[in-house]
Amino acid sequence: MTYEMRAVFWGVLLACVDWGRGQENHTFDGDVRDFAIGDRSVYVVTDDRLYQLNHDFTNVIKRDNPNVVYPNQEAPLSNETYLFKVNILLPFIENKTLIICGTTKCGYCEILDLNEISNSVYSEDIEMGSLDPGDSTIGFIVDVGTNSYIMTGRLQSRVHNGCANSDELLVLRNALEGQNGGIFSETGEDATPYIDARQKEKIQFVDGFQSNSHIYVFLNVPKERQVRLIWFKSENNKVSTLSSLKSATLKCCGNMERRELLSSSVIQGPGGLHGQVLWAGVFTAGNTSDPINTMLAIYNISSTGPHLENDKPDFCYKDCAMSSTKGTTLNLQPEAVVFQYSSMTSVLAVRHNSWLVFFIGTGDGQLIKLAVDKAYKPACPRVLYKSDDDRRVFPKMHLDPVDRKHVYMALRNQMIRVPVAQCSEHKSLKDCWSAQDPFCGWCESRCSFQDDCLQPSAWIAISEDSQQQNIVSYQVEKSSSGEKITLTVKVHLTLNGTGSLTFACNFLNRSGHMCDRTSPAPAFPRCSCLFSSDQLPAGGLNVTVKIRVGKQNLAEKLMLTNCLDITGPPTSALCSQCMTAGCSWSNDACSWTPRSANSDPIQDVCRLSQSGLNYSEPVIFSIVPSVLSFHGRNHALMNGENLDHVTKVRIQGHMNCSLKESPVWNHTGSSLTFHIPGGDKGSVSVCAVLPDGRCLGKATVTYGSSPSCTGLIPSSTWASGKRKIKVQGFHLEFVEGVVHDHTPQTIHTNYSSESLWYHTPLFEHINQAVTSTVSLRVANQTLACSSQLTYHPDPEFTSYTAIKTGNDLRVTIEKRADKLNITTEEILVFGVQEENQDVECVMDTIETSNETDSVICEIKNTHNANINSLRIRVGNFTKTLLPKQAAPSLLIILVLIPIIIVVIVGAVWYSYNKQRKMAAQMNKQLELLECDIRNDIRQGFVDMQTEKCDLIENVGAIPFLDYKHFASRIFFPDGGPVMTSCIKDIGQDAVKVQPDKSCQALSRLIRDQVFLTSFVHALEEQKNFNVKEKCAVASLLTVSLHGDLPYLTQVMEELLRALMDQPSNSQPKLMLRRTESIVEKLLTNWMSICLYGFLRESVGQPLFLLVCALTQQMSKGPVDSVTEKALYTLNEDWLLWQAQDFSPMRLQVLFAVGTDGEVSEPLEVNALDCDTVEQVKEKILLAFKTKFGFPYNTPLQQMHIEYEKNGRFVPLKEVDASSEVLGEVTMLNTLKHYKVPDGASIKVLSKTHPSLSPQSSLKDDQNYSTKYFHLIDPDIDQDQKKNPERKKLKLKEVYLTKLLSTKVAVHSFVENLFRTIWGTPNLKTPPAIKYFFDFLDAQGESKRISDPDVLHIWKTNSLPLRFWVNILKNPQFVFDMEKTPPLDGCLSVIAQAFMDSFSLAEKQLGKHDPTNKLLYAKDISQYKQEVRAYYKQVRDQPPISSSEFKEFLHEESKKHENEFNESAALWELNKYMQRYFNEIKLKLDQNGAPVELKEQLQHVKSLFDSLKSCSWN
């Protein structure tokens, strides 16, 4: 069956694709002419260079194409130089060489080192490919017997007749020097075999490859407009192989012939029904205006089929002139045509389980992914990448041979590496299934590739059927007696290992289980429920089906209906209702008759149903515009007839893939308006939707590329605007308007004669040049121009003179010189006569100079006219100009002098009086300001003197995280899937799971210290192995060896010794200061493991009390809800010094109980009148938890609060109609805004209350900080009289006392925490600290380090800096809590004071030092003494023996046994081992590792490779 697709538009899918995500690209100096992929590198050829890049396009190596020199035969003493253009690029992986051949005078080939293309191994002047650039050439490696050869195909050169060229079309050339005849020789054992063609000068080679023991070559014969396949059987030698020639003609496709092959791809892996070799090709009709110009077809090209057993009329073994007469050729028809499009250019086929996945490149720059099921039915195509322009995709694409998860494609001068899927984006089983991606499946708790699933048997994939619409479908059937109803549910999933996964279903209604005991047992993928028909009421039955597949639970809610009750006019909507209810639709009626297993999808059945309503069928004449950008189009116009009843416009590609519908307006019966949503490039169909659900009428819309703006002419304008600007760029016909960044309005544009222009808008209040960013408005997108527009002040016309020239008046206008480059067409000048009538002044020229420009124009026929002034118009700028005046007479001067004197005296007297009044007002304001500042300073003094440490009343139970979650946050601070996979779920902790053989082998390997140290050093020597990966490897090793902490400690010590011996550590004081190596992160993890007990038993309580004290202290004063700055803080950066006056309040909070208005006993909650509604909710929840010891059962987002006023409750909301608005910024409502008095009653309701509707949080808005404000006013001019208290001058320095009062309030908690950490003489140091400090002392002695400061710094960098500061700044690593930004700011100051206590430097602080240093300056000296005593105390304690410490480590391992998933960590470590396998082997050799160890490494790699191979197969 042929599945046509006239376009690529699947709108909803577009919204799911993030075009830039995961893609990598590299741009070259010239266009890509060919590229190939090796195991380690990508090789790219341009006209001038050969490039070698890593798979991720890093580490670029360039090699200029050589100029090949030949002796000049006509002039013996001179040479001829020919440019080298590559036409064969061939990686020979087994030989680790790269073969390149190309055009010179007589051909040239060179063999390069595959890993370093700058190394040339061999070169030879030989014609392997065609010498004519326009001719096609192919070359690929084939295995014949035990030898590898190069099969090359080319046309005989028609230009360079002086070369010794052969007349061979296809030959087998040697690939190695040791083969018979030497490298590149085409000679066989006793002859020179080759393939000849009768019309070879017309042949175009397209592709060639070997599949198992057969060789295939595909080519076009343009003269006959046919596509030929040549086939060989790989025998023991060249002669036998080439003489096995067979051929056939590929026909495409049915009655729509496509007679040219553009691109092809063999479908690797096991074939179709009988192991056929499947191949896919893109065929074209050569008509790019045809929406189905190109077709993608699948063929069976197996050698077992009879279709290749025929004569070969076009091709001959050896000379065609000596062969028999021309015979007939057999035609080969496709198995299926799976895709049609206007401009496919390339295809890459991949087999994945039962699916065929095609990656299709197009002429308009798209990469499309098409999945085809085993019945050759295609699923909905998806666009993986699309370019903004119309660059063609290169005819060749490659799959990454290492990870097989990326596709390489070329677009003109750019290489792009596109992921084949984005599985990790899907966060649930349903989302993963809805993606309908064969590469993605659900693995325990995440969507992943199959080989990324640690337990391959748990991988749950999509159904093997491409047509499924829902993850669960069902149907109902009534028994013949009518007493029983069977509900059958089918799960559309594919299990990788059905034997090991449980499958169960549970059918529930309101009364509980509903199935009879006679119901059959579930058998994946179906389960059935038999129940009495009496249970099905007239109104329907709600059924919940709970399905368990492995560890995954699904719940589906079904509404069962009596099929015979679904009646009405036979509309498509009624049909859909019937079939959705699990019934059957036939003869325009709904019945119990069960649908067959192979019934058509709902949309196919219901599309045929007719409407029972009397609507005139709409007819579409046209859609304007019908060609648009892929961004879409606003305000499109549909013209037609009978459009009155159209409710929506439906836009869809073929196969009903993810259709989109757009509402309509402006009905006139013959036209309507609608928006065209964005889509992918290509043509889509449009129809009009009627109220009965039918979609009638037909039109086509074509999506094109994105418009681009490359320049603006002219590039400047004047401030008043309305200068005509021409936009330069591409696809400008799709532009709907222009937007300037300084004004929100969209500016109308005009497009004509392939030119786009518009008039500039006004730019107010500028007195110097400013730039404005110009963007194109396309649908709902704005696309910035690559150049900006410069606004200058308006032109300054100063005066004019007029001279009579006959009947005309020649006018010269003076203008200050500027950078506007105004033209005569942009200036309009009118002479103003006495009667106020305008006379046009015809522009002549503009003369420019350095300071003054002259604008010259003429007013025609002015012999009777009297021009008093000029009116000049430049865009929206208008200027009335008077003529230059002659010098005034002496009499006028004498009259004006006394008038001027009188005016000056009056002005002086007025100014004197005004200044007196202003001085009085300023004195009054200064007195008020001084009073305000005095009050602020006095209040700050009062706070410091009266501050009490009474913050903690009841903190309840301390919410410690369990060990595995604490450790995982230390090991993997960024979180992610690796962290998740390394932790065992609840219930798994007690179960010890035996790792598979590969993981066991790797576990044994890393427990060899020689291997593990070599592994670490090998990885760290790689330049592309970054710090993030080093930390990841360290944490993975920690998880893998957590069960053997003594060995982990031993390895860490060895690595630390090696780190100290590195030449880069010549400055010992800098060692361990940062985390730049694996061992440094290993040390952090080790400290966390060993000190967890001490942290929980001793340090945890004072740390939690400090966090609670800081939180309570901050809540005593205002906290700005938008910026989160607080009045009471330790950090100047988080100080709310702009806060206005506030008052504390006590609220009586009542909690609603039930739905009948009952409330609980009142709970007293402290709040401030400046608190927002959200802050009041937070304080209510905190007060509830503090009093009762457990949290309130309703989260903050589902809470409503109401204030009791005059006997009724008024809802309190963050923003409502009464909110104050300044400009476009809204103030959040506070208790003061609602005038809530002290002692007021507040009622708390949950959003599940029947009278309430959900309200989303304002903070979810991306523009929250710019749309709303709380205590810090926006920078907007406003009337001060409305809120005079908000305009009081506030000085930040006055409020620095709040830092000190906060310090006083929490000081005892800080000191208690510090002294718990560094202990007192009565406390014994934790074993790990004593052991590691002794280790450092021993290393200092062995290194002969006499400076005691060095050892002090080592210990400080190892313990306080590496562990304690991390805990102090991140209490959420220890407790189940959320760290707010203001709390983080306070903890940073405390952590800084903590680290300063360990510093040896003595710095004299001054007034210019930061406040976070000054705040604890006096305390630091005391803390330093305590730290020195602590270090001495540790040193003086008796040493801990190795056996004692090993026992301690064993106990720690045993405590947390089975809490981590060791297999997951080993799988991740294997990825690094695979990536740097050769480097690890080399390091083992350098370290003199035994042969057995290297064999063990190879064995581990083989085990993992076999697992990966099995998962793919």
Side-chain angles (χ1 to χ4, degrees), residues 1376-1503:
D1376 185 9
M1377 59 165 286
E1378 183 179 349
K1379 181 178 69 173
T1380 62
L1383 176 61
D1384 182 58
C1386 292
L1387 293 173
S1388 296
V1389 174
I1390 294 172
Q1392 181 65 58
F1394 181 79
M1395 280 313 301
D1396 288 345
S1397 304
F1398 288 84
S1399 173
L1400 293 170
E1402 296 290 346
K1403 182 184 177 185
Q1404 197 68 27
L1405 298 176
K1407 64 180 181 180
H1408 298 297
D1409 286 290
T1411 53
N1412 64 336
K1413 289 274 190 181
L1414 294 169
L1415 200 58
Y1416 283 92
K1418 289 187 177 180
D1419 307 281
I1420 295 299
S1421 58
Q1422 174 62 31
Y1423 295 158
K1424 285 186 175 181
Q1425 294 179 17
E1426 295 177 11
V1427 166
R1428 282 193 286 271
Y1430 169 61
Y1431 278 1
K1432 184 177 183 301
Q1433 173 194 341
V1434 176
R1435 188 172 62 251
D1436 293 345
Q1437 283 184 3
I1440 184 170
S1441 67
S1442 297
S1443 60
E1444 288 176 333
F1445 192 61
K1446 280 187 178 179
E1447 182 62 29
F1448 164 77
L1449 294 174
H1450 275 304
E1451 286 297 320
E1452 291 300 310
S1453 292
K1454 192 172 181 181
K1455 276 185 200 174
H1456 310 296
E1457 193 175 17
N1458 297 328
E1459 291 194 22
F1460 294 100
N1461 190 341
E1462 181 184 337
S1463 294
L1466 291 168
W1467 266 94
E1468 293 296 326
L1469 281 174
N1470 164 63
K1471 294 179 181 178
Y1472 291 99
M1473 187 192 73
Q1474 298 278 4
R1475 191 198 304 178
Y1476 300 109
F1477 183 78
N1478 293 334
E1479 290 80 358
I1480 296 169
K1481 282 183 64 178
L1482 180 62
K1483 179 57 69 175
L1484 288 173
D1485 290 336
Q1486 293 173 355
N1487 291 343
V1491 176
E1492 294 81 3
L1493 188 59
K1494 289 182 277 188
E1495 290 176 350
Q1496 190 178 352
L1497 171 63
Q1498 187 65 49
H1499 175 64
V1500 171
K1501 182 177 186 300
S1502 301
L1503 285 175

Side-chain angles (χ1 to χ4, degrees), residues 601-660:
I602 293 176
Q603 65 270 23
D604 292 342
V605 174
C606 297
R607 189 184 296 116
L608 305 175
S609 300
Q610 299 299 314
S611 172
L613 303 175
N614 188 20
Y615 293 118
S616 299
E617 292 193 3
V619 178
I620 303 174
F621 295 155
S622 65
I623 294 177
V624 180
S626 61
V627 181
L628 56 143
S629 159
F630 62 69
H631 295 296
R633 180 79 181 197
N634 290 329
H635 305 290
L637 181 68
M638 176 184 288
N639 295 307
E641 61 183 25
N642 302 329
L643 302 179
D644 310 70
H645 299 289
V646 173
T647 60
K648 292 176 288 189
V649 173
R650 182 176 297 163
I651 302 157
Q652 63 185 37
H654 211 62
M655 295 171 55
N656 298 315
C657 285
S658 301
L659 57 86
K660 282 190 173 182

Side-chain angles (χ1 to χ4, degrees), residues 350-365:
V350 176
R351 183 183 298 278
H352 187 75
N353 296 332
S354 64
W355 291 86
L356 304 179
V357 183
F358 296 95
F359 299 94
I360 302 163
T362 68
D364 49 16

Side-chain angles (χ1 to χ4, degrees), residues 58-280:
T58 57
N59 192 28
V60 181
I61 301 174
K62 300 180 183 178
R63 186 179 193 273
D64 290 341
N65 290 342
N67 292 329
V68 183
V69 179
Y70 292 90
N72 191 331
Q73 297 177 355
E74 297 179 0
L77 297 181
S78 63
N79 294 325
E80 297 177 294
T81 300
Y82 288 86
L83 293 177
F84 177 64
K85 302 291 184 183
V86 175
N87 56 23
I88 290 179
L89 176 68
L90 189 55
F92 190 2
I93 305 297
E94 289 75 10
N95 198 39
K96 295 185 178 180
T97 55
L98 180 69
I99 303 168
I100 60 169
C101 298
T103 62
T104 58
K105 180 181 180 182
C106 294
Y108 177 80
C109 286
E110 193 166 6
I111 298 180
L112 310 176
D113 186 338
L114 192 65
N115 296 323
E116 181 60 59
I117 60 171
S118 57
N119 297 336
S120 177
V121 178
Y122 175 81
S123 63
E124 181 179 338
D125 293 328
I126 185 171
E127 183 184 353
M128 291 261 281
S130 175
L131 299 181
D132 299 310
D135 288 344
S136 61
T137 299
I138 60 166
F140 55 98
I141 298 290
V142 296
D143 294 326
V144 174
T146 59
N147 289 306
S148 294
Y149 299 121
I150 309 169
M151 174 164 275
T152 61
R154 63 169 179 81
L155 302 185
Q156 182 184 10
S157 172
R158 302 183 296 278
V159 179
H160 304 291
N161 296 323
C163 302
N165 296 323
S166 64
D167 197 23
E168 301 151 354
L169 183 74
L170 282 165
V171 294
L172 288 172
R173 295 183 179 273
N174 293 346
L176 298 170
E177 181 62 40
Q179 293 171 333
N180 182 33
I183 195 165
F184 296 151
S185 170
E186 58 199 79
T187 306
E189 286 67 17
D190 53 2
T192 302
Y194 64 94
I195 299 299
D196 192 13
R198 301 185 190 277
Q199 297 180 349
K200 54 180 169 288
E201 70 279 0
K202 300 295 183 183
I203 286 172
Q204 297 174 351
F205 290 101
V206 178
D207 197 7
F209 56 84
Q210 183 173 15
S211 178
N212 298 324
S213 60
H214 301 92
I215 303 167
Y216 303 89
V217 177
F218 298 86
L219 35 80
N220 292 316
V221 184
K223 184 176 181 181
E224 299 181 6
R225 297 195 66 234
Q226 298 288 355
V227 180
R228 294 282 198 270
L229 163 61
I230 303 177
W231 169 86
F232 305 93
K233 184 171 179 9
S234 176
E235 302 285 2
N236 292 326
N237 53 60
K238 293 181 182 180
V239 173
S240 301
T241 298
L242 291 180
S243 62
S244 68
L245 164 72
K246 304 289 180 185
S247 72
T249 299
L250 300 179
K251 289 293 186 179
C252 177
C253 296
N255 57 356
M256 295 183 290
E257 289 195 335
R258 303 289 183 266
R259 295 189 169 208
E260 182 182 352
L261 180 65
L262 298 178
S263 178
S264 90
S265 175
V266 65
I267 302 172
Q268 299 287 359
L273 297 176
H274 304 290
Q276 311 105 316
V277 177
L278 297 180
W279 169 89

Side-chain angles (χ1 to χ4, degrees), residues 1102 1106 1306-1318 1416 1419 1422-1423 1426:
L1106 172 61
V1306 301
H1307 190 60
S1308 62
F1309 299 100
V1310 173
E1311 288 202 335
N1312 187 29
L1313 173 63
F1314 284 8
R1315 285 167 181 156
T1316 305
I1317 291 175
W1318 55 57
Y1416 283 92
D1419 307 281
Q1422 174 62 31
Y1423 295 158
E1426 295 177 11

